[in-house]
Amino acid sequence: MHALHILALSLAALGGPGRRGADSARVANLLNALARTDPVICDLIGDQLGNFWWGGQPGRLGRFEDALNVQGAKDSLAGTITDPRALSLLVATLGTDNQCVRRVAAKLLGQSAVAASVLNGLLDNSSPRIRESAAYAAGVGERRETMASLQHRLADSAAGPAAMAAWALGEIQDPKSAPALQGAAHSTSPRVRLAAVWALGKFEDASYAKDVLPFLRDVDPTMRATAAEALGQMKSARVGAALVGLLTDRNDAVRLAAVNALSDMEERSAVGPLEGLLLNDSDPEVRRECASALGNFSLARSLDPLARALADPDVDVQRAAADAIGDLDDVTKAPAALVRATTAPDLELRHNATKALAHIGDVATVQALVDRLGDDDKEVRLAAVEGLGEMDVAAAIPALTRALNDRDPEVRRAAAEALGKTQDN
């Protein structure tokens, strides 16, 4: 029998109303099925366990006619497990050879009602594999009662448990762990250093920036990117120049992390470099995030580079540029490239451009907005109506009157409101 079919059957057998935690039979069915399936599929399930498994759809809507009814089973596996036999099974699975099954068991254990004394005992187990799994469970459950054990585990002789302990302390986000993590940032293990830097960022405290700043020069690009992300969360006013310098890093992921960090910090000294990167960077994702960052700064000076980015070869960059233009302050004249973008074949670009045009309120673009009242997409028509209403010009009245007969009731209501504003003034 195919592994996926086994998994489906095992989930179907787990059914039950509500969101009670799974019992031992349900847990055993899941773990056994995962052990038999493809490692990629197992990992995907482990990643999403508890994230999107709740129903929300009434009845069987959105389901195929012959689909198995497994919602109760999925809900039970996202609930808090209290069955002592299920807890014992999860603990016993923490040392299994199958890393994915081990991780799922640890995740379920972290979401269970397992006693802190049990987790602390597991963190002291003679097996590095079990110690690592226990640290993961403690992080998933954000179990503050395990903090002392996790801090002790930062000095573990094995890198796996030490790095996972640092990750767990970051998830728990208790500043009392900061001194231990500051020490772990100097570990001889690159993996432990990486996890410690990431965890320090989770505290969002600028006083730890001094501990992270040196890692912007690390030889490992993953560490440089992680350090940039952590500094962005800390929002220290003293690291802006160092992050701006990282915008020229040879690694795409590092530049991307620096762009996002500078945006999060609202570091205005970065605006010029970000404008240059938007137009010249080789990576489209970096260019897209530069556009979004410039929109976040909302400075009118960025209008020209953003308008030029509307001609970017990557449509995602074009979309982000149009969206960012709509966030700029004190812009009164719409660039011609933005007007052209309102007729783009790409729906999202057309919508973003129309919203931006409406935000600017340039009376010279009334006809462009009027033309969008005939768009096939309701959201585009709605943005055009709202923009025309805000412009408050007599030339828009005939078009808004026609929009009273739009096929969508929301557009019709918006047109009536827009006409009311225009006529009141």
Side-chain angles (χ1 to χ4, degrees):
M1 188 178 294
H2 193 278
L4 277 178
H5 189 51
I6 293 173
L7 181 58
L9 289 177
S10 69
L11 286 174
L14 308 186
R19 294 181 184 170
R20 295 178 302 171
D23 59 20
S24 58
R26 292 174 177 175
V27 170
N29 279 339
L30 176 66
L31 296 179
N32 288 335
L34 289 176
R36 290 174 171 84
T37 195
D38 181 276
V40 175
I41 297 170
C42 180
D43 240 26
L44 286 169
I45 292 169
D47 286 343
Q48 298 304 327
L49 181 62
N51 291 350
F52 66 73
W53 278 20
W54 285 286
Q57 288 276 3
R60 301 283 289 166
L61 297 181
R63 300 281 183 177
F64 290 116
E65 179 62 29
D66 57 351
L68 293 168
N69 187 0
V70 299
Q71 193 59 53
K74 293 192 293 184
D75 286 346
S76 76
L77 288 162
T80 301
I81 297 173
T82 57
D83 180 357
R85 289 175 299 176
L87 295 177
S88 296
L89 175 58
L90 292 173
V91 169
T93 307
L94 296 185
T96 187
D97 289 339
N98 187 312
Q99 65 82 25
C100 178
V101 173
R102 191 163 72 239
R103 188 163 70 96
V104 168
K107 188 171 190 178
L108 291 172
L109 189 65
Q111 295 168 344
S112 76
V114 65
S117 59
V118 173
L119 285 178
N120 285 322
L122 291 167
L123 285 165
D124 241 358
N125 193 277
S126 60
S127 165
R129 183 177 287 176
I130 290 177
R131 296 198 300 273
E132 182 179 28
S133 299
Y136 181 65
V140 167
E142 299 179 12
R143 299 292 295 269
R144 278 180 165 75
E145 317 96 301
T146 66
M147 279 174 49
S149 296
L150 289 169
Q151 290 173 30
H152 176 70
R153 198 48 52 207
L154 291 174
D156 198 295
S157 57
M164 194 63 77
W167 173 84
L169 290 169
E171 288 293 297
I172 293 170
Q173 294 183 34
D174 190 321
K176 294 186 183 70
S177 297
L181 287 167
Q182 287 172 305
H186 299 284
S187 168
T188 57
S189 165
R191 185 177 172 191
V192 176
R193 293 198 301 271
L194 183 71
V197 166
W198 175 86
L200 286 170
K202 296 288 282 184
F203 297 140
E204 299 182 358
D205 187 330
S207 65
Y208 306 126
K210 64 184 184 303
D211 301 288
V212 175
L213 192 60
F215 291 100
L216 293 181
R217 300 186 297 274
D218 198 89
V219 295
D220 180 9
T222 302
M223 175 59 90
R224 297 199 299 275
T226 301
E229 178 186 345
L231 290 168
Q233 292 172 309
M234 293 175 185
K235 296 181 171 58
S236 169
R238 296 178 295 174
V239 302
L243 285 170
V244 169
L246 215 60
L247 294 176
T248 60
D249 195 278
R250 62 186 179 277
N251 184 274
D252 295 345
V254 175
R255 296 196 305 280
L256 184 64
V259 169
N260 289 329
L262 289 163
S263 178
D264 290 343
M265 294 167 53
E266 299 184 6
E267 175 60 50
R268 292 207 169 195
S269 68
V271 171
L274 288 171
E275 291 171 348
L277 214 58
L278 168 64
L279 300 176
N280 297 313
D281 197 88
S282 59
D283 184 77
E285 190 174 2
V286 173
R287 299 197 302 274
R288 185 190 69 209
E289 290 305 315
C290 282
S292 297
L294 292 172
N296 190 42
F297 287 113
S298 302
L299 299 178
R301 59 162 283 178
S302 297
L303 177 62
D304 181 60
L306 286 168
R308 283 194 273 167
L310 292 171
D312 193 279
D314 189 279
V315 70
D316 285 332
V317 178
Q318 296 174 36
R319 292 167 177 168
D323 191 49
I325 289 173
D327 290 330
L328 301 182
D329 294 333
D330 305 319
V331 174
T332 56
K333 183 170 177 54
L338 183 66
V339 176
R340 288 194 297 272
T342 63
T343 64
D346 181 78
L347 172 57
E348 186 176 342
L349 174 57
R350 201 165 68 243
H351 176 246
N352 290 356
T354 303
K355 282 189 68 175
L357 206 63
H359 169 76
I360 293 172
D362 182 354
V363 293
T365 65
V366 167
Q367 188 56 50
L369 290 175
V370 167
D371 292 344
R372 297 281 44 84
L373 294 180
D375 199 280
D376 291 336
D377 184 74
K378 167 200 139 180
E379 296 300 330
V380 173
R381 300 197 306 276
L382 189 60
V385 164
E386 291 172 347
L388 289 169
E390 290 300 321
M391 282 185 184
D392 187 25
V393 292
I397 293 177
L400 289 172
T401 303
R402 291 193 300 274
L404 293 173
N405 296 315
D406 190 274
R407 57 187 178 275
D408 186 89
E410 192 175 355
V411 176
R412 295 197 297 270
R413 284 194 297 272
E417 291 174 6
L419 279 169
K421 290 179 184 177
T422 303
Q423 291 167 357
D424 287 345
N425 296 327

